[in-house]
Each structure stands twice: as structure tokens, then as C-alpha cells.
Amino acid sequence: NSDNGNAYMLLGNIYASVENFGENDLENKAVYWIAVDYYKKAKQVDPSLKDKANKQIDAYKQYFPDKETIFFHGKELGGSYNLGGWINETTTVRKK
């Protein structure tokens, strides 16, 4: 149900709990971009989840990669990034 904010919260929690995803340090941290995307979607579709979603966003954006890691992997802030594997989601490159 695309109107169920709790479902998006659950997906965010699932992605945030993934440990050591991918083959390098950028992929390990990019999974948190996906989690935050789902928390943002949760509060968008269900404004009553705003405080809960914001708490999760604040908790997990601290795990975003730093600017040097992003640069080392040839990515640019604000650019598009596809995290492959079983996740296979596209997100936006962000730093902590």
C-alpha cells in the first residue's frame, strides 16, 4: 500500500539494519541513503509519522559517507547512485 507510512518506516528500518552490504566502504554506507529515503517517504505519505521519521533520519544520516569517501569513489554530491545487489535502488549521493 503506497499510502501506508508505517510500511515505509519498516522498509527504512530493514535497510538501516543491513550490515556490511556491498563490496566497498561507499556501498556499506550508501544503504543508509536508501533507509533515509524511506523515512522521508513515510512522513510524506503520513504526516503523523513526522517526529518518528525525523528521529530515524537523524540517527542514520550520521552513517553517511564523508566527502572524501564520495570523491574517492568518483561520485558527486547530489548525483544519482544505484545501489545494486538485492537492494537495487537508486538514490541521491549525500555526505554526513
Side-chain angles (χ1 to χ4, degrees), residues 18-61:
V18 173
E19 293 183 23
N20 299 318
F21 181 84
E23 299 179 11
N24 59 56
D25 54 341
L26 183 67
E27 289 179 348
N28 289 176
K29 295 179 182 285
V31 72
Y32 297 109
W33 293 334
I34 304 292
V36 166
D37 290 345
Y38 278 102
Y39 296 135
K40 288 180 177 181
K41 184 71 172 174
K43 67 181 185 174
Q44 178 185 357
V45 300
D46 185 349
S48 72
L49 294 172
K50 180 182 175 187
D51 291 340
K52 186 176 179 181
N54 284 341
K55 184 177 178 181
Q56 294 297 86
I57 290 167
D58 289 342
Y60 290 108
K61 68 181 181 182

Side-chain angles (χ1 to χ4, degrees), residues 41-95:
K41 184 71 172 174
K43 67 181 185 174
Q44 178 185 357
V45 300
D46 185 349
S48 72
L49 294 172
K50 180 182 175 187
D51 291 340
K52 186 176 179 181
N54 284 341
K55 184 177 178 181
Q56 294 297 86
I57 290 167
D58 289 342
Y60 290 108
K61 68 181 181 182
Q62 69 177 324
Y63 299 112
F64 286 3
D66 58 28
K67 189 175 181 179
E68 292 77 20
T69 300
I70 293 166
F71 176 78
F72 177 78
H73 289 279
K75 304 299 175 193
E76 291 187 26
L77 290 175
S80 181
Y81 183 81
N82 182 269
L83 186 60
W86 63 267
I87 293 177
N88 197 29
E89 297 261 356
T90 299
T91 188
T92 303
V93 176
R94 290 160 273 183
K95 68 178 182 78

Side-chain angles (χ1 to χ4, degrees), residues 3-13 42 45-46 48-49 52:
D3 293 328
N4 186 336
N6 286 310
Y8 290 115
M9 290 295 296
L10 177 61
L11 286 168
N13 290 339
V45 300
D46 185 349
S48 72
L49 294 172
K52 186 176 179 181

